[in-house]
Amino acid sequence: MPASSMVAEAGLAFTANGQPSAVVYHRDADGALRADGVVMLAPTATGVSRVIKFHDLALVTTFGFPDVLAH
């Protein structure tokens, strides 16, 4: 697969406290997708008013997601 078509980031969507959220993964130098944190969206009637990122990696497993996605 050409490097330009490889996924550098991935996200797994879920709901936290009634808000749309996602675990964010970034590809490391070894090619593994490692958790980078959790983002939560603040939706409004006209779109999204803000995106909040939590850098606490413990939240990833608290919500039941793996630290590393299998390739």
Side-chain angles (χ1 to χ4, degrees), residues 14-22 39-44 63:
F14 67 102
T15 302
N17 296 329
Q19 301 294 321
S21 305
V39 294
M40 183 179 289
L41 305 179
T44 67
F63 287 115

Side-chain angles (χ1 to χ4, degrees), residues 2-3 6 8 13 15 19 28 30-31 33 35 37-38 46-49 57-58 62 64-65 69:
M6 292 179 60
T15 302
Q19 301 294 321
D28 69 9
D30 296 327
L33 284 168
V38 173
T46 58
V48 175
S49 66
L57 295 180
T62 297
F65 294 96
L69 293 179

Side-chain angles (χ1 to χ4, degrees), residues 2-59:
S4 61
S5 64
M6 292 179 60
V7 174
E9 297 182 25
L12 298 175
F14 67 102
T15 302
N17 296 329
Q19 301 294 321
S21 305
V23 175
V24 178
Y25 292 86
H26 290 279
R27 192 169 302 281
D28 69 9
D30 296 327
L33 284 168
R34 298 196 183 278
D36 187 56
V38 173
V39 294
M40 183 179 289
L41 305 179
T44 67
T46 58
V48 175
S49 66
R50 77 191 104 146
V51 178
I52 304 160
K53 183 169 185 189
F54 298 92
H55 297 274
D56 183 353
L57 295 180
L59 291 173

